[in-house]
Amino acid sequence: MNTPHVVVVMGVAGTGKTTIGPLLAARLGVPYAEADDFHPPANIAKMSAGTPLTDEDRWPWLDAIGDWAHGRAGLGGVVSCSALKRSYRDRLRSAAPGVVFVHLTGDRALIEDRMSHRQGHFMPTALLDSQFATLQPLQADEAGVAVDVLGSPEEITERALHALSSLPEPIL
């Protein structure tokens, strides 16, 4: 697949965004950006303390990701971003109208198990419930695909590539 798409790999914590994102970018031959790197230190401190972020905390973070995606328009790129709410995705699309979403989905028990085995990540499993409560899945009018996270990272990436290949080319 040759794509000028900017792909946002989204989903709740623990679905594998930071694993699948780089694999997807490598397969597409485009740069990868890790959304966690766009967080200001105050956001990381809140999440590390087990405090969910507010929408006000997220706006500057989403704007920074949107700016990166806008800069990659027509060139392609992959960025991970939870993008749990429609309003968050709308904000990203307002900065970069051609973005498409790969929503990594999966069973809560599987995701919690994967999270419990992660090393060195600031998102505790205690926030998983708030993530699922906040999640608004992609709607029919949103450019994107849902991909199940069951299986190996390579299998998930392959499913994502196959699903993305069915999307129309972006209108720039």
Side-chain angles (χ1 to χ4, degrees):
M1 179 178 156
N2 184 1
T3 180
H5 285 295
V6 175
V7 178
V8 178
V9 179
M10 63 167 282
V12 299
T15 53
K17 295 180 295 292
T18 59
T19 299
I20 303 306
L23 291 173
L24 189 58
R27 291 286 303 274
L28 294 172
V30 297
Y32 170 73
E34 167 56 54
D36 289 344
D37 294 340
F38 293 89
H39 273 299
N43 284 9
I44 292 173
K46 278 182 96 166
M47 290 183 287
S48 296
T51 304
L53 298 179
T54 65
D55 285 350
E56 291 72 31
D57 295 326
R58 287 186 180 93
W59 298 140
W61 172 65
L62 290 166
D63 291 342
I65 295 166
D67 288 346
W68 183 88
H70 177 77
R72 297 298 312 163
L75 303 171
V78 176
V79 61
S80 60
C81 176
S82 52
L84 298 178
K85 288 185 181 179
R86 170 71 186 246
S87 61
Y88 303 164
R89 296 187 299 271
D90 288 345
R91 192 158 183 131
L92 292 171
R93 274 191 296 270
S94 71
V99 298
V100 297
F101 295 88
V102 170
H103 180 188
L104 298 178
T105 64
D107 176 72
R108 189 196 183 289
L110 172 67
I111 295 167
E112 183 174 18
D113 180 64
R114 287 182 180 175
M115 283 182 75
S116 69
H117 292 94
R118 290 197 301 194
Q119 299 295 318
H121 196 275
F122 58 79
M123 178 68 85
T125 57
L127 291 183
L128 190 55
D129 286 334
S130 73
Q131 293 257 305
F132 272 104
T134 302
L135 177 63
Q136 297 171 343
L138 287 175
Q139 301 299 303
D141 66 332
E142 294 183 272
V145 295
V147 176
D148 191 280
V149 297
L150 191 60
S152 71
E154 294 76 18
E155 291 168 330
I156 298 163
T157 302
E158 196 58 42
R159 279 197 299 275
L161 286 165
H162 179 72
L164 284 169
S165 70
S166 69
L167 292 177
E169 289 302 309
I171 299 168
L172 302 175

